[in-house]
Amino acid sequence: MPALSPSAARRRRSLKPWHYMPYVFVAPFFVLFLSFGLFPLLFSAYASFFRWELSAGVAGMKWEGLGNYAFVLQLDALPWPRFFTGAFWADLQGLDFWRALYNTFWLGVVSGLPQHLIAIPLAYFIHMKFRRARNPAIAMYFLPYITNTVAITLVFSSLFSRDFGVVNQVLTGLAHAEVGGVKLLAWLFPAENIDWGRPEYTRPIVAFIIWWRFVGWNTVLYLSALQTIPKDLYEAATIDGAGLWQQFRYITLPMLRPMILFAVTLTIIGNLQLFEEPFILTGGSGGVGQVAETVAMQMYKVGLTDGDFGTASAVAWLMFMVIAALTWLNNRYLGKKD
């Protein structure tokens, strides 16, 4: 075996295991991230410019340019002259992407806004009034978040069943309840079972499930932020004669602003990617008239059901742009310093 040169021998002696072992330990993370994180992300952006059916394989990719984006947006089909009339918004229901985008925004706002409007005062109430029972109380509200989404949706589907659902039994029972031979609540509650599968009920039920599941999560976030506010501020405000409402308005809300920014950002990102709740509740169809079909559901249908992966990738990146824009606006509004 030839002898090593003095310089090579010095390099070999200087290469100790603790010099390179940290890189060995972190290498699996980077391998997994590049393989299952970054590569699929970049490849979907690349595929969005091609006409590609999964059954044709990679060799079947045909350059489409911005054609997939134009096909999804269908801007030439929008009735722009009627933009300020109700007919314009009615015509959007006939265009797949715009209908799904409208449904996504509707569900996001109706389920997302009440989450924070309820979670903030609820967390403040628990923080101020609960002492020893604080942890059990917050665990009760947090339980829906850690429960399996499929199980939750199936339970609510049973609750809102037309023929055997508990909700219908309670409502019709109240309508037929008699006091002294008189049905006092017959004018307020339905006398017959409600078909909750009708289009006007589908979106509100989905929004209610999402709100019920995530209000506890936001409560935990706000409660953790409330515990970092110095008690001296509240004590000084009490001495100055400030009531609970004044303390909440002038101390709690300003101090919660960073957490509000974080929580609202998570809500925007999560609600614009809604898939599981509307998919399971409607059996993957989006309900009658597809009133609860979200953009994520449409992307799933186009990509995996129809096999048009190029168009599905374009839908994904269009939603990425929407989420990025809304997140930026939210950061500009809630993240600015007074």
Side-chain angles (χ1 to χ4, degrees):
M1 181 177 179
L4 296 174
S5 63
S7 61
R10 284 195 302 270
R11 287 197 300 270
R12 187 169 183 175
R13 285 195 302 268
S14 63
L15 190 61
K16 304 298 182 181
W18 51 83
H19 291 161
Y20 60 84
M21 286 307 294
Y23 301 99
V24 174
F25 290 140
V26 300
F29 164 78
F30 286 103
V31 171
L32 293 174
F33 172 73
L34 292 174
S35 302
F36 301 102
L38 186 60
F39 172 74
L41 184 69
L42 297 178
F43 185 76
S44 67
Y46 174 76
S48 68
F49 297 102
F50 288 83
R51 182 186 301 172
W52 181 31
E53 294 185 3
L54 292 178
S55 58
V58 179
M61 298 179 70
K62 297 180 181 179
W63 176 255
E64 189 73 15
L66 296 176
N68 287 330
Y69 292 91
F71 175 75
V72 172
L73 293 175
Q74 295 181 278
L75 295 178
D76 55 339
L78 294 177
W80 294 111
R82 296 184 292 177
F83 181 79
F84 295 102
T85 66
F88 176 86
W89 304 104
D91 291 342
L92 285 182
Q93 300 300 314
L95 304 176
D96 292 339
F97 176 77
W98 294 105
R99 180 185 62 248
L101 186 63
Y102 172 80
N103 295 336
T104 303
F105 272 101
W106 193 97
L107 292 171
V109 172
V110 174
S111 67
L113 187 61
Q115 290 178 27
H116 302 278
L117 294 179
I118 293 176
I120 293 176
L122 179 61
Y124 180 72
F125 175 77
I126 294 175
H127 177 68
M128 298 298 292
K129 299 298 182 181
F130 284 70
R131 299 300 179 184
R132 297 179 181 178
R134 178 183 299 171
N135 291 336
I138 198 61
M140 180 181 64
Y141 285 104
F142 190 69
L143 186 61
Y145 176 75
I146 61 176
T147 306
N148 183 271
T149 307
V150 177
I152 289 175
T153 309
L154 290 177
V155 168
F156 274 95
S157 179
S158 300
L159 291 175
F160 285 98
S161 173
R162 183 187 64 180
D163 298 321
F164 306 104
V166 175
V167 175
N168 271 336
Q169 292 183 18
V170 171
L171 294 179
T172 55
L174 291 173
H176 291 94
E178 296 183 1
V179 178
V182 180
K183 298 180 180 179
L184 297 178
L185 300 178
W187 63 275
L188 183 60
F189 296 100
E192 299 180 355
N193 290 343
I194 298 175
D195 183 5
W196 298 106
R198 293 167 58 183
E200 59 267 29
Y201 299 122
T202 304
R203 275 199 304 249
I205 292 176
V206 174
F208 176 77
I209 295 174
I210 298 168
W211 168 83
W212 178 82
R213 185 176 177 223
F214 287 98
V215 68
W217 160 255
N218 288 290
T219 303
V220 172
L221 291 180
Y222 292 127
L223 185 61
S224 63
L226 285 170
Q227 293 173 349
T228 65
I229 301 177
K231 296 181 180 180
D232 297 344
L233 296 177
Y234 292 107
E235 294 174 356
T238 302
I239 294 174
D240 291 339
L244 287 178
W245 167 246
Q246 292 173 316
Q247 294 178 24
F248 176 77
R249 180 179 178 183
Y250 295 107
I251 297 177
T252 305
L253 285 181
M255 298 294 287
L256 280 181
R257 192 164 188 169
M259 182 55 73
I260 294 175
L261 170 63
F262 176 71
V264 172
T265 300
L266 291 182
T267 300
I268 291 174
I269 296 173
N271 283 9
L272 292 182
Q273 299 181 78
L274 288 175
F275 178 79
E276 294 173 308
E277 291 87 354
F279 184 87
I280 298 172
L281 189 68
T282 63
S285 65
V288 179
Q290 298 176 319
V291 294
E293 183 188 49
T294 63
V295 175
M297 291 175 61
Q298 186 185 83
M299 181 177 60
Y300 171 86
K301 180 177 68 175
V302 172
L304 298 181
T305 304
D306 300 339
D308 189 354
F309 194 80
T311 302
S313 299
V315 173
W317 280 93
L318 285 171
M319 279 309 297
F320 169 79
M321 298 174 194
V322 173
I323 293 173
L326 291 179
T327 303
W328 178 79
L329 290 174
N330 178 58
N331 184 66
R332 285 292 302 270
Y333 178 71
L334 292 177
K336 64 182 180 180
K337 298 181 179 179
D338 296 330

